[in-house]
Amino acid sequence: SSERLHLVTVNGQRFFKCGIMSQQGATLQTYNNELVKCIEDLRKRREELQDSIAQEEETKGRLQRDLQDLTERIARVSESLARKVAQRTAYDKTIAETEAAYSKILESSQTLLHVLKKGATELH
């Protein structure tokens, strides 16, 4: 019969071939093997991507906690700074008023001294 059994190697795999149907079966098996290999490769890539996603989600969570802590610290420092600036403004006002009053006292003292000297000169 012309349908003899032949040993065929396809992509490194050996198959027995018996006519056309056997060739189609070997080709189908090769496609199947390649498809399984592609699916396994995709699953491996997905798993690696999932690991990367998990790491980045962990990093994001840590950064969000750090950001919240820093935001709270900024708020506390801002409140403290506002109180201190208000205190400084009060000091500036008190110093300016005190210097103005002291200046008037000096002027009055000079005027009084001048009047006293003039009066003492006239008395002699």
Side-chain angles (χ1 to χ4, degrees):
S1 160
S2 63
E3 302 234 353
R4 295 186 338 210
L5 197 59
H6 299 283
L7 181 62
V8 178
T9 302
V10 178
N11 291 336
Q13 294 188 352
R14 293 182 176 190
F15 300 95
F16 285 104
K17 167 180 135 170
C18 179
I20 294 175
M21 293 301 280
S22 210
Q23 177 66 32
Q24 289 175 345
T27 302
L28 185 60
Q29 182 63 40
T30 300
Y31 290 157
N32 181 56
N33 290 343
E34 288 180 18
L35 183 60
V36 168
K37 182 180 175 189
C38 286
I39 290 171
E40 288 173 357
D41 186 49
L42 289 173
R43 287 185 189 278
K44 180 182 175 191
R45 288 182 187 185
R46 184 202 177 278
E47 186 177 326
E48 290 170 354
L49 183 60
Q50 178 57 37
D51 290 345
S52 178
I53 288 170
Q55 287 177 347
E56 287 193 15
E57 285 176 341
E58 182 180 328
T59 299
K60 179 183 174 186
R62 187 173 66 261
L63 290 173
Q64 284 176 327
R65 288 187 299 277
D66 291 349
L67 180 59
Q68 183 177 354
D69 291 345
L70 289 172
T71 300
E72 290 171 4
R73 284 179 59 192
I74 288 172
R76 287 192 303 271
V77 168
S78 294
E79 290 171 9
S80 174
L81 189 56
R83 284 192 304 273
K84 289 178 180 178
V85 167
Q87 286 176 333
R88 183 187 66 195
T89 301
Y91 277 122
D92 290 345
K93 181 181 177 190
T94 300
I95 290 168
E97 290 172 352
T98 303
E99 287 176 339
Y102 181 66
S103 180
K104 288 180 182 179
I105 290 171
L106 283 178
E107 289 175 21
S108 297
S109 295
Q110 287 175 346
T111 302
L112 180 59
L113 183 60
H114 180 68
V115 168
L116 284 175
K117 284 184 180 179
K118 183 177 180 186
T121 305
E122 291 176 359
L123 289 176
H124 282 134

